[in-house]
Amino acid sequence: MNNITQFSDCYGCGMCAIVCPKQIISIQQNINGFYEPVINNDNECIHCGQCLKVCSYADEQLAQNNDVLASYAAWSKDPVIRKKCSSGGVGFEISKILLEQGYKICGVRYNPTLNRAEHYISVSKEELVQSAGSKYIQSYTVDGFRSIDRKEKYLVVGTPCQIDSFRRYIRKNHIEENFILMDFFCHGVPSKKCGINICQRRKKLQEK
């Protein structure tokens, strides 16, 4: 079949659900606690292959494989931000600068109501604060990515596999100039079944 059902496992980036013209792909947790795509009705699939065109897992090559132009070490000058962000706060500072330049930020927050890390859109510094700090679990991307208006400017933050698939999506739609993409060094995400406890404990420590 010319769709993502040929994969028994993947990165769970969610881009296949975004591009499916029939909207029959959902992202669900498998038995091991990782996100993966599920086709809700095989009979409605038109075999257009759009889900595979944006799938980083389906391609052995990176969407962008340019040589490194320069490397820098940096951290926030604000001790409060450094403490809250846990990784120096550079991503948060870059996001603040781009907000001032008219960009919206698609980052990740922890949603205690739904008990998950999730991508969302922030348009102010107050909303951006929700993205501070490492989440230690796989993020649910679909709602956040679907909220993106392709005619506006965004900074999109995610894991390398999420960003690789997102790059394929914006390249396919010829809208790369509207986006700045930011990923980070990633050693892989744990299963939500064990990672959620880490995330909850970290949030409690931040609130003290």
Side-chain angles (χ1 to χ4, degrees):
M1 296 182 70
N2 192 28
N3 60 37
I4 46 82
T5 55
Q6 62 187 280
F7 301 130
S8 59
D9 193 9
C10 73
Y11 301 137
C13 70
M15 289 312 305
C16 54
I18 305 300
V19 300
C20 177
K22 301 295 289 184
Q23 295 293 288
I24 58 172
I25 300 176
S26 61
I27 303 299
Q28 302 176 15
Q29 281 191 57
N30 61 24
I31 192 172
N32 295 315
F34 294 99
Y35 289 121
E36 66 180 13
V38 174
I39 294 184
N40 302 313
N41 190 338
D42 288 335
N43 294 328
E44 291 187 19
C45 178
I46 58 177
H47 307 291
C48 62
Q50 294 299 311
C51 56
L52 295 177
K53 291 179 181 178
V54 298
C55 179
S56 176
Y57 189 81
D59 199 323
E60 294 182 359
Q61 302 297 319
L62 296 175
Q64 181 162 309
N65 194 21
N66 294 342
D67 292 334
V68 176
L69 299 180
S71 297
Y72 300 91
W75 54 88
S76 173
K77 294 181 179 180
D78 188 333
V80 175
I81 291 177
R82 290 200 305 272
K83 181 178 180 180
K84 190 172 183 63
C85 290
S86 73
S87 298
V90 174
F92 188 82
E93 295 289 4
I94 292 174
S95 298
K96 283 200 307 178
I97 292 171
L98 290 175
L99 273 175
E100 294 170 357
Q101 295 179 5
Y103 283 79
K104 295 182 178 180
I105 312 300
C106 182
V108 178
R109 65 186 173 192
Y110 178 65
N111 186 327
T113 302
L114 297 177
N115 219 21
R116 71 184 186 187
E118 61 185 16
H119 272 76
Y120 76 110
I121 308 299
S122 56
V123 297
S124 67
K125 183 179 176 181
E126 290 71 27
E127 293 175 343
L128 180 63
V129 169
Q130 299 175 58
S131 69
S134 300
K135 312 305 181 298
Y136 302 108
I137 52 177
Q138 191 178 23
S139 63
Y140 181 78
T141 64
V142 178
D143 294 343
F145 285 172
R146 277 189 176 146
S147 299
I148 289 175
D149 183 340
R150 296 187 300 182
K151 296 180 181 179
E152 296 185 304
K153 298 189 298 181
Y154 287 85
L155 166 67
V156 180
V157 184
T159 60
C161 52
Q162 291 171 340
I163 293 300
D164 190 85
S165 293
F166 194 88
R167 187 182 300 279
R168 297 172 194 274
Y169 167 71
I170 60 176
R171 182 173 294 168
K172 183 178 77 72
N173 288 285
H174 309 290
I175 51 175
E176 286 183 273
E177 65 279 3
N178 289 348
F179 292 85
I180 294 175
L181 308 182
M182 180 166 60
D183 60 8
F184 46 84
F185 287 103
C186 177
H187 299 286
V189 293
S191 164
K192 185 179 177 183
K193 290 184 177 180
C194 65
I196 196 70
N197 295 325
I198 299 173
C199 194
Q200 289 173 334
R201 286 199 299 269
R202 187 181 188 283
K203 183 174 178 60
K204 288 180 180 179
L205 289 173
Q206 288 181 334
E207 291 174 347
K208 289 182 178 179

